Amino acid sequence: MLLVEALRDPASTASLDADGWAALLSMARAEQLIGTLARRLTGLLIPDAVERILDEARVNAEYQRRSALWEADCARRALAGYSGKVVLMKGAAYAAEGLKASEGRHIGDLDIMVARADLPQVEAALLAAGWDWVKEDAYDDAYYRDHMHELPPLIHKERDRMIDVHHTILPLTARPKPDAAGMLADAVMLENGFYVFSPTDMVMHSAAHLFADGELDGGLRNLWDIHCLLMEFNDDSFWSALKSRAEHHQLSHAIYCATRLAHQLYGTEIPKDWRNRHRQDKWYIMRLTARDDWGRGTCKFIRLVFYIRSHWLRMPPLMLLRHLWVKWRKG
Amino acid sequence: MAGPQSPKYIAERADQLLVEPLDAMTLIYQRRSGITHIVAEPVPEILAVMGGDALSAAEVAAWLAAQFDLDATDAEAVVATRLEELAALGLLERVRA
Amino acid sequence: MSVHEFRVKVGPVAFRICSAWKRPIDQLADLYRDYPTPEIPDYSVRLEARSPFRRFIRPSITLGGDYMLPDAAPLPLAQGLLAAEMAMNLQVALGWRRHLLLHASAVEKDGKALIMTGASGSGKSTLAAMLGHKGWRFMGDEFVLIDLVNGEAAPFPRMISLKNEAIGAMQASALDGRFGPLMIGTPKGDIRHLVPARDAIAQIAVSATPALLLFPSFGYEPAVREIGASEVFMRLTQASTNYVALGEAGFTTLTRFIKTVPARAIDYRDGIEAAALVNQLWDELA
């Protein structure tokens, strides 16, 4: 796939003609990786028309970075009276720590994690500081509170920005039960006062997120995060620490599969004995790279399989039926 | 209102703000947030007198009174309200006493 | 999937458009035949069938592209030109970061631009179309692009999208105009496209210095009102889809615009009154 090739080896774009560039840019936009691509291609000799498009992507990525850090700061001020740790997750965390994964990255809603027992206090503080429920809906509300790993989403009334408050990294109904309290305990404070996960837990969350949330939508983006994190944290002790933390959090499967896919797609350096291909890898790769030259999703059947599979993973079968039934009745 | 417990505030650093007076209103662009605020007096004046110091409403009011021929006691209540609003917007930070 | 394709450059913006049907592409190629053809497009637009069936049975167009709205309603095939126009506008509205984007119309004279903005129904599009056939160069009726470095206005003269009464009025006054098919009963009423006059296309890459900003309102006794700078600022931030994303560059560009370009609100009841007010203010202020 053109996009994977360009991210993995930016110099490979030297052979692209006009149609090739058009296809690459549409794929990158569809996967929300255009800002990342722009950063990867910085400094290369590329056609002026493409450079102008990539400059636009750089402006936009800077806007998203600025907004994400500001939202994080607003949440910090709103929670100034809360004594527990408030851990930034995903895009905002990478940006706050200045990690390579944040370079050009698309960042949407703000995700934070706090201790589960403190949710009511955190919720009350955010409501008092101008956030509000996105929707008042008894079913969805009860569903979130009983089964999800986060509060129903809140939106700030003036800034119109969403925040997701998590208390763990996976839905409570998912089979793996990561040790959320352990993740909070190990979270580290940055110089600017924000907390982020420890390096191994950061990779853990990204891998869990890749497989558990959605139908591998945005999977290329997620795997690029994982690729960057692994490249940046890679040292002698990292891989054995990652292995034992993955076992502790019941996420070995996700970690092995994610690192293998990152290796196969982006050429991420991983230990030799982590590289043995599995039979299902090619299905994942097929799903992850299913885009045509106009940015359209292809391989409809594989997408459907992953859609059903993703719901299966998230919920025990009876609950899945109930969920689909209630959603269907409500149209 | 004044007293040892009254909160103090630190203004956003001046190099983070682009200030553009238009008519009765002034535009303030904050670099860190990318947000443009449209404000009326005495907000630009408050931000200007605060500089980089941690000040209470009474102290800000005293500074304003010295510069603009106001009664400091009258000004304090207005200033205290404005400071809370500006803190909510992120243009000031409330400092824990 | 079989694909019909067309490329066109409108002002600084290059598009490629693909369609599951040949007809909309033929119509675009005919109306845009005098426009430049780009090599590498800035944006891709897709006119897609909702399902393989719907390519043939009650064919209806789903709008797609690099940027999409999740809830965009499909349009019947007969409104293919409108679908293409909406999808092209959407790419610019959501993607463009090379200029400050104002949702406005503009015409040019002597290297200076008259910019008109307001809610839909204010008549800004019809006024620009009309002036474009009365000695002004038509620069666009959807977006005006303000340069982030020098403040100049770049044209975006796509097809003029005439609505309802404006169709008859322009058919009467632009006798040599080239029109697209009449589309009846679209979500925006009746629509017919008009190719901008020859000079608008010949000078498609020529910018102009903003010299006057008008906020027209249609349907009231002729009047002119001054507007305070801070109100102009607020209205223009609302008329811009990329002001916030541009950050500091957006702020400096917009404040410079406001401090250098005189602004007035005008009321008018018909084209003759509007033209008289425009000419009077242009002589006074521009």
Side-chain angles (χ1 to χ4, degrees):
Chain A
M1 190 209 200
L2 269 181
L3 175 59
V4 170
E5 206 50 47
L7 290 172
R8 177 184 179 135
D9 174 19
S12 71
T13 55
S15 62
L16 292 178
D17 59 9
D19 285 347
W21 278 113
L24 173 60
L25 295 168
S26 280
M27 286 178 192
R29 284 193 176 121
E31 294 288 346
Q32 293 182 308
L33 275 164
I34 183 92
T36 306
L37 180 70
R39 284 298 288 256
R40 286 291 283 165
L41 299 187
T42 299
L44 294 182
L45 198 63
I46 47 181
D48 287 347
V50 176
E51 191 60 50
R52 287 192 289 269
I53 294 166
L54 296 180
D55 275 339
E56 203 157 77
R58 292 183 187 108
V59 168
N60 213 48
E62 175 55 25
Y63 158 57
Q64 295 192 358
R65 195 193 64 86
R66 182 172 63 231
S67 311
L69 288 177
W70 182 250
E71 269 318 288
D73 200 56
C74 291
R76 176 188 63 76
R77 272 181 278 115
L79 297 173
Y82 169 62
S83 55
K85 286 184 184 176
V86 178
V87 180
L88 298 181
M89 303 165 92
K90 295 192 274 192
Y94 309 152
E97 197 171 349
L99 295 175
K100 284 215 177 308
S102 74
E103 292 180 353
R105 190 185 189 279
H106 167 83
I107 312 180
D109 304 338
L110 176 65
D111 294 279
I112 61 171
M113 185 165 124
V114 298
R116 189 175 190 186
D118 298 341
L119 280 180
Q121 188 191 344
V122 168
E123 188 180 354
L126 291 174
L127 290 172
W131 276 269
D132 214 341
W133 302 119
V134 173
K135 50 182 178 181
E136 291 286 349
D137 183 307
Y139 170 72
D140 279 318
D141 220 36
Y143 174 77
Y144 263 98
R145 283 160 201 271
D146 295 347
H147 306 300
M148 290 301 278
H149 52 309
E150 59 197 11
L151 290 175
L154 292 158
I155 193 161
H156 195 273
K157 280 177 281 196
E158 265 116 51
R159 293 190 308 277
D160 207 30
R161 302 271 309 194
M162 304 249 280
I163 187 170
D164 281 325
V165 183
H166 304 245
H167 60 81
T168 179
I169 61 168
L170 280 178
L172 302 178
T173 51
R175 259 160 273 171
K177 307 287 177 213
D179 170 18
M183 285 190 163
L184 278 178
D186 283 2
V188 290
M189 190 165 93
L190 304 174
E191 271 178 23
N192 49 16
F194 291 119
Y195 281 94
V196 296
F197 286 137
S198 72
T200 49
D201 287 350
M202 212 178 251
V203 177
M204 213 69 59
H205 176 221
S206 196
H209 182 67
L210 170 66
F211 296 111
D213 219 37
E215 309 104 53
L216 280 190
D217 272 346
L220 281 186
R221 204 167 72 234
N222 254 306
L223 271 176
W224 182 257
D225 285 345
I226 290 170
H227 166 75
C228 293
L229 295 175
L230 292 175
M231 293 295 84
E232 201 155 10
F233 299 149
N234 187 4
D235 64 29
D236 295 344
S237 58
F238 177 74
W239 293 97
S240 60
L242 186 62
K243 183 168 182 280
S244 65
R245 279 310 268 180
E247 281 161 13
H248 175 74
H249 289 303
Q250 304 178 11
L251 286 167
S252 296
H253 175 76
I255 282 291
Y256 286 126
C257 192
T259 50
R260 232 168 37 233
L261 291 172
H263 172 71
Q264 287 168 41
L265 281 170
Y266 296 128
T268 318
E269 280 183 39
I270 62 173
K272 289 239 158 38
D273 54 335
W274 291 46
R275 294 183 191 177
N276 299 326
R277 286 178 190 234
H278 286 220
R279 211 154 25 107
Q280 78 268 26
D281 289 0
K282 66 169 185 284
W283 298 107
Y284 279 107
I285 302 254
M286 202 183 283
R287 167 63 185 89
L288 288 164
T289 58
R291 292 262 173 219
D292 70 6
D293 286 356
W294 286 79
R296 285 175 295 212
T298 54
C299 305
K300 295 252 155 55
F301 178 70
I302 299 238
R303 282 172 185 270
L304 180 68
V305 169
F306 273 94
Y307 175 77
I308 295 170
R309 192 174 168 281
S310 76
H311 279 73
W312 191 261
L313 278 179
R314 264 184 291 191
M315 301 175 192
L318 265 177
M319 200 190 305
L320 172 62
L321 269 178
R322 181 173 175 271
H323 171 76
L324 293 174
W325 171 250
V326 174
K327 284 279 176 201
W328 175 75
R329 289 221 326 185
K330 289 157 63 87
Chain B
M1 276 203 61
Q5 313 90 331
S6 61
K8 294 203 171 203
Y9 303 85
I10 293 186
E12 179 75 320
R13 279 170 37 190
D15 65 1
Q16 283 290 324
L17 302 177
L18 298 180
V19 180
E20 197 70 69
L22 285 183
D23 35 38
M25 310 297 268
T26 296
L27 303 178
I28 298 179
Y29 176 81
Q30 186 181 22
R31 287 201 164 105
R32 219 151 52 94
S33 64
I35 295 173
T36 309
H37 300 278
I38 304 184
V39 299
E41 61 166 24
V43 169
E45 291 79 6
I46 289 176
L47 290 172
V49 300
M50 286 183 76
D53 302 327
L55 299 174
S56 67
E59 289 164 321
V60 172
W63 275 101
L64 285 176
Q67 286 190 21
F68 297 100
D69 188 27
L70 301 166
D71 185 278
T73 338
D74 293 349
E76 189 183 331
V78 177
V79 168
T81 316
R82 292 291 98 80
L83 289 175
E84 268 307 293
E85 288 166 1
L86 289 173
L89 293 174
L91 286 170
L92 308 173
E93 180 109 8
R94 200 193 309 188
V95 192
R96 258 175 262 180
Chain C
M1 191 181 288
S2 82
V3 161
H4 305 277
E5 188 182 335
F6 174 65
R7 295 186 181 208
V8 65
K9 192 165 183 192
V10 182
V13 193
F15 298 97
R16 66 169 179 167
I17 301 147
C18 75
S19 163
W21 305 271
K22 191 165 180 295
R23 188 160 52 147
I25 293 297
D26 288 346
Q27 291 173 330
L28 285 166
D30 179 46
L31 289 174
Y32 280 107
R33 69 188 178 205
D34 296 324
Y35 284 63
T37 303
E39 263 200 71
I40 299 177
D42 295 305
Y43 303 113
S44 298
V45 165
R46 308 188 304 257
L47 307 180
E48 303 178 304
R50 275 164 79 185
S51 68
F53 269 142
R54 298 299 290 269
R55 228 184 110 201
F56 306 103
I57 300 159
R58 284 184 289 121
S60 86
I61 302 177
T62 301
L63 305 186
D66 288 340
Y67 297 94
M68 293 189 269
L69 291 181
D71 46 2
L75 290 169
L77 179 56
Q79 297 171 16
L81 275 179
L82 176 64
E85 174 198 316
M86 286 168 64
M88 287 160 78
N89 287 343
L90 189 69
Q91 306 311 307
V92 180
L94 298 182
W96 197 255
R97 301 285 183 262
R98 288 170 236 178
H99 295 82
L100 176 69
L101 207 60
L102 298 179
H103 184 62
S105 69
V107 290
E108 176 263 355
K109 202 190 262 185
D110 306 326
K112 294 186 287 186
L114 161 65
I115 297 172
M116 294 173 279
T117 184
S120 80
S122 65
K124 63 180 192 297
S125 306
T126 314
L127 279 177
M130 183 195 78
L131 293 169
H133 282 84
K134 286 191 176 172
W136 299 70
R137 169 172 59 116
F138 175 82
M139 292 183 72
D141 69 347
E142 184 72 26
F143 298 119
V144 176
L145 312 170
I146 307 297
D147 192 283
L148 300 174
V149 177
N150 61 23
E152 296 282 281
F156 182 69
R158 47 132 227 214
M159 290 298 109
I160 301 168
S161 185
L162 301 168
K163 294 183 192 79
N164 303 320
E165 298 81 20
I167 299 173
M170 286 308 294
Q171 279 170 336
S173 65
L175 291 172
D176 56 344
R178 214 147 55 76
F179 290 87
L182 177 64
M183 293 176 281
I184 294 180
T186 80
K188 301 177 171 194
D190 296 349
I191 286 198
R192 190 163 191 190
H193 289 96
L194 168 63
V195 179
R198 195 166 286 279
D199 60 335
I201 301 172
Q203 299 181 59
I204 199 158
V206 181
S207 294
T209 309
L212 178 61
L213 173 68
L214 293 180
F215 295 92
S217 298
F218 171 74
Y220 303 95
E221 291 267 320
V224 175
R225 282 186 310 282
E226 295 204 14
I227 312 184
S230 51
E231 190 184 342
V232 174
F233 177 86
M234 269 187 281
R235 288 208 201 181
L236 289 184
T237 52
Q238 283 158 11
S240 175
T241 53
N242 69 1
Y243 168 76
V244 175
L246 289 174
E248 191 170 332
F251 179 78
T252 50
T253 302
L254 190 54
T255 46
R256 175 178 48 202
F257 183 95
I258 283 160
K259 290 196 292 188
T260 53
V261 183
R264 295 288 185 276
I266 60 167
D267 295 346
Y268 68 100
R269 288 169 304 193
D270 58 43
I272 296 168
E273 282 178 4
L277 283 175
V278 165
N279 287 327
Q280 174 204 328
L281 290 170
W282 185 258
D283 290 341
E284 267 175 44
L285 299 167

